[in-house]
Amino acid sequence: MNMTNKILLVLFLSASAANAADFDVDVLPESLAAETQKFFAAETGRARAQMAAFSDEDLQKITTAFKKAHPASEQRLFWLIEESYRRNAERVAAERIRFLYIAVLLALGIIAAFAGLTYAQTRKLKHSTNQQLPVAVAPASVKPAPKRAPAKKGKHK
């Protein structure tokens, strides 16, 4: 996209955002209108935190009221913005899955390396203990010592 188209797109988005600020919250039910007005008036960080307070039904009511108050071209602009957010979320999810996959592969690699080193160490110890032991010798037959006859007691000279 050349620079002129980018500038026109930014101007169109800012003009649409200005028109969106004219959204009339009075068409919403009273409790939802007050909550939505408080959301619009809040600072950015606080407004992001307040988004979770809206139920699915509340969001559906706000969407319906917005569609009734704005022409199709402005609604389609928000479709594009939503599509941009959706694609970004998919990209982030794909990156997280890829990093998780890499982490699992690395963990399996570490386990395999540890198992291999343990196996090599065991073989080395087994080999060294086999060299230190004498070769098996047939057991010698041991005969009991012959019994001696008691010594004669004789006269001593």
Side-chain angles (χ1 to χ4, degrees):
M1 216 195 281
N2 61 21
M3 189 60 130
T4 306
N5 288 344
K6 288 181 182 177
I7 292 172
L8 288 175
L9 181 63
V10 169
L11 288 175
F12 182 70
L13 289 174
S14 62
S16 296
N19 285 340
D22 294 335
F23 177 65
D24 188 19
V25 294
D26 295 331
V27 297
L28 298 172
E30 188 174 318
S31 62
L32 184 57
E35 190 175 343
T36 306
Q37 189 62 38
K38 189 167 55 169
F39 173 76
F40 287 155
E43 295 175 7
T44 303
R46 188 171 289 163
R48 285 195 181 272
Q50 289 176 353
M51 283 193 312
F54 290 100
S55 69
D56 291 341
E57 292 175 6
D58 293 342
L59 293 174
Q60 187 62 40
K61 289 176 185 175
I62 293 169
T63 303
T64 304
F66 177 81
K67 285 181 180 179
K68 288 179 181 177
H70 290 83
S73 63
E74 290 179 13
Q75 293 177 29
R76 290 185 179 145
L77 174 66
F78 284 101
W79 291 354
L80 293 174
I81 293 170
E82 287 174 355
E83 182 67 16
S84 171
Y85 285 142
R86 185 187 63 77
R87 289 181 186 180
N88 189 36
E90 286 179 355
R91 186 173 31 260
V92 168
E95 288 176 5
R96 288 178 180 170
I97 290 171
R98 188 180 80 236
F99 289 137
L100 180 63
Y101 179 72
I102 291 170
V104 168
L105 286 179
L106 287 174
L108 289 174
I110 290 170
I111 291 169
F114 181 74
L117 290 173
T118 304
Y119 177 73
Q121 185 70 20
T122 305
R123 282 187 59 130
K124 185 178 177 183
L125 287 174
K126 191 174 187 181
H127 184 66
S128 66
T129 56
N130 284 342
Q131 289 179 350
Q132 291 175 358
L133 294 176
V135 177
V137 178
S141 58
V142 179
K143 294 182 183 177
K147 289 189 179 180
R148 292 175 134 192
K152 289 185 183 179
K153 294 187 181 183
K155 293 183 185 176
H156 292 321
K157 292 187 191 179

